[in-house]
Amino acid sequence: MSDLDQTTGKLLSFDENGLQFAWDATSLSNYMKCPKYYEYVNLRGLQSRNKSVHLIFGGLYAAALENYFKHLQEGLTPLEATVEIVRTALIDTWEYEVDDLGNNIPGSGGPWDSMHNTKTRETLIRSIVWYLDHFKDDLAETVILENGKPAVELSFSLPFDNGIVYCGHLDRLVEYGSKLVMDQKTSLSTISANYWKQFMLDNQMSGYTYAGKILFDTQVKGVIIDAAQIAVGFTRFERNVVYRTDEQLDEWYENTMAYIEEAREATAKGHFKRNLQSCSNYGGCEFRDACSASPTHRQRMLRDHFVAGKRWDPLERR
Amino acid sequence: MSEPTEDIAELMSRDPLSLSNQDIITIVEKLRSQRARFVAGNNKAGTPASRKSKNTEKQEKALSIVGDLDLGDL
């Protein structure tokens, strides 16, 4: 087994035969993008040696806003909650040295350098504060569940057919004319009508709505998306709602199950076809060079540019 | 009065574990004032101050040790 094939730790979402039974939007989208991509990323855990700044930035931004509403529900004032999330974001974007126990050593290290001219530590903090300022009079209110708890930070695992489980994490349920899941997105592009079109059939939005309807016994109609355009000199916000009818969700379910069964079959056979129509999408797949190399040289290219890291495990609580 | 971006950059250049609540509030207030200028029409209002390169920081540190010495002091 090469160092590119090592798995790290027991995986909750895979059975004893290595077949994935617990799926989420990320796993599903990876397979739908390209079965070979799914093999590289989800089954072999291959990660680019240069972690995607977009994933890091987007993750920190969404986590900050999720925690803001959680702090409000805990009784903090808006200013106190803002201070907490800004402090956390500053700490999370400071590259400390760590002691033997893995704790940050105060006074060590320095600020994260994203190596990107727009998505930086500074624009992250700016975007968080500007979002809260922009939506300070927001009409979207956090739903209070029947158990009295606010509908924030909601992880779910839904049983589907054939032993499949569909997992996910909802940042927040809100009341905004109707009950909606709220999601945060960041983009380098202007948020135009064209930008919103990508969500019309988006797996993640369908999955959120499906889960919202079933799990929380509420009439969740869709997802409210707050999109932030990140530019060097500003962050601009736009909001839109994507709806899903019951018929659309039934269709999504059938489509999802078909892809999952196909992925499991490919895994059982150890054969993953390549979707050659996806190679150039979104700036180009990170495996494009390796995939296009002769098989004789491919392993070396993968070893040079990728590292086998922690595999994505949908059932693992984050 | 110093520019908001320079004040924010100075605070953000410090170890966040050393920042007080007031320091964080200052960052938040400066960023809000930036946003007010953006809303008023300034698309560059939120431009972060340039971060010093590691080489520049090393040079400044070396110069601070040397001080005002010149060849005449030899």
Side-chain angles (χ1 to χ4, degrees):
Chain A
M1 179 191 293
S2 77
D3 58 354
L4 288 174
D5 293 311
Q6 291 174 8
T7 58
T8 50
K10 180 172 167 51
L11 295 161
L12 302 172
S13 305
F14 293 78
D15 66 22
E16 63 276 6
N17 298 314
L19 304 188
Q20 185 169 355
F21 66 89
W23 289 75
D24 62 355
T26 300
S27 311
L28 184 61
S29 295
N30 284 352
Y31 184 82
M32 292 173 73
K33 171 179 176 173
C34 171
K36 179 59 74 174
Y37 184 86
Y38 168 78
E39 182 199 4
Y40 284 151
V41 173
N42 291 77
L43 299 186
R44 295 176 66 180
L46 296 185
Q47 302 168 10
S48 174
R49 291 186 184 274
N50 300 314
K51 283 188 181 173
S52 166
V53 62
H54 307 296
L55 287 177
I56 295 171
F57 189 99
L60 289 169
Y61 175 76
L65 297 180
E66 180 184 347
N67 285 329
Y68 174 79
F69 294 104
K70 186 179 163 194
H71 289 321
L72 287 186
Q73 296 299 333
E74 290 169 347
L76 271 63
T77 65
L79 179 59
E80 288 170 339
T82 303
V83 167
E84 281 308 302
I85 65 170
V86 169
R87 181 188 302 282
T88 300
L90 287 169
I91 291 171
D92 287 348
T93 52
W94 190 273
E95 292 175 333
Y96 287 99
E97 294 168 21
V98 294
D99 61 22
D100 293 340
L101 297 175
N103 300 316
N104 292 334
I105 300 175
S108 69
W112 167 56
D113 185 350
S114 67
M115 308 293 285
H116 193 273
N117 67 339
T118 309
K119 287 187 176 178
T120 65
R121 182 175 190 249
E122 291 77 10
T123 61
L124 170 69
I125 304 301
R126 181 194 76 200
S127 300
I128 291 168
V129 174
W130 283 28
Y131 175 92
L132 297 175
D133 212 40
H134 181 83
F135 287 107
K136 64 179 182 290
D137 298 318
D138 196 1
L139 296 176
E141 295 185 353
T142 305
V143 166
I144 304 299
L145 299 172
E146 285 185 5
N147 61 10
K149 292 187 177 177
V152 296
E153 216 176 38
L154 303 168
S155 293
F156 63 87
S157 300
L158 284 178
F160 277 17
D161 293 325
N162 305 331
I164 300 300
V165 177
Y166 190 81
C167 319
H169 182 87
L170 309 182
D171 289 350
R172 189 162 77 120
L173 271 184
V174 299
E175 184 73 51
Y176 187 69
S178 53
K179 287 185 174 56
L180 301 161
V181 176
M182 176 166 272
D183 197 43
Q184 305 289 344
K185 298 294 184 197
T186 58
S187 172
L188 294 172
S189 308
T190 302
I191 311 299
S192 63
N194 212 43
Y195 171 83
W196 296 115
K197 284 183 180 176
Q198 67 181 296
F199 299 110
M200 289 168 66
L201 286 165
D202 183 79
N203 269 317
Q204 188 184 38
M205 301 306 141
S206 299
Y208 281 163
T209 310
Y210 193 97
K213 279 182 182 289
I214 291 181
L215 282 173
F216 304 110
D217 201 25
T218 59
Q219 287 304 304
V220 173
K221 300 288 188 191
V223 183
I224 180 172
I225 302 172
D226 283 347
Q229 177 195 356
I230 313 297
V232 172
F234 64 85
T235 305
R236 182 179 283 131
F237 305 96
E238 300 288 345
R239 171 175 280 183
N240 202 357
V241 181
V242 292
Y243 294 101
R244 294 288 190 270
T245 65
D246 288 345
E247 291 82 2
Q248 286 173 319
L249 290 177
D250 287 342
E251 233 176 17
W252 170 81
Y253 179 90
E254 296 300 326
N255 199 58
T256 295
M257 286 302 296
Y259 270 106
I260 289 174
E261 291 308 319
E262 184 185 296
R264 286 166 58 84
E265 192 178 321
T267 305
K269 290 180 179 175
H271 178 72
F272 299 88
K273 51 188 178 182
R274 294 184 284 182
N275 181 4
L276 301 177
Q277 299 300 319
S278 286
C279 303
S280 297
N281 290 347
Y282 304 107
C285 173
E286 63 260 46
F287 295 101
R288 182 168 50 183
D289 289 345
C291 261
S292 61
S294 166
T296 311
H297 304 297
R298 188 168 300 141
Q299 281 302 312
R300 180 178 170 180
M301 287 194 72
L302 289 174
R303 193 175 298 112
D304 285 348
H305 298 287
F306 300 91
V307 60
K310 193 172 188 303
R311 285 169 57 185
W312 185 251
D313 194 352
L315 281 176
E316 182 183 320
R317 289 189 68 87
R318 295 191 291 280
Chain B
M1 187 163 71
S2 59
E3 282 294 320
T5 34
E6 290 166 2
D7 295 336
I8 295 168
E10 197 283 320
L11 285 168
M12 288 183 62
S13 69
R14 298 188 208 166
D15 174 5
L17 290 173
S18 71
L19 294 175
S20 65
N21 271 1
Q22 187 53 53
D23 290 331
I24 308 279
I25 290 172
T26 299
I27 292 173
V28 171
E29 287 173 345
K30 299 285 186 187
L31 287 170
R32 284 179 177 165
S33 73
Q34 276 185 355
R35 183 173 173 272
R37 290 189 290 135
F38 165 67
V39 171
N42 182 348
N43 277 357
K44 295 183 180 178
T47 303
S50 298
R51 199 190 292 179
K52 292 177 189 170
S53 70
K54 288 193 167 76
N55 272 346
T56 303
E57 287 178 348
K58 285 180 184 173
Q59 284 173 4
E60 288 181 349
K61 189 174 179 182
L63 283 172
S64 70
I65 295 171
V66 172
D68 293 326
L69 292 176
D70 61 27
L71 288 175
D73 294 314
L74 293 177

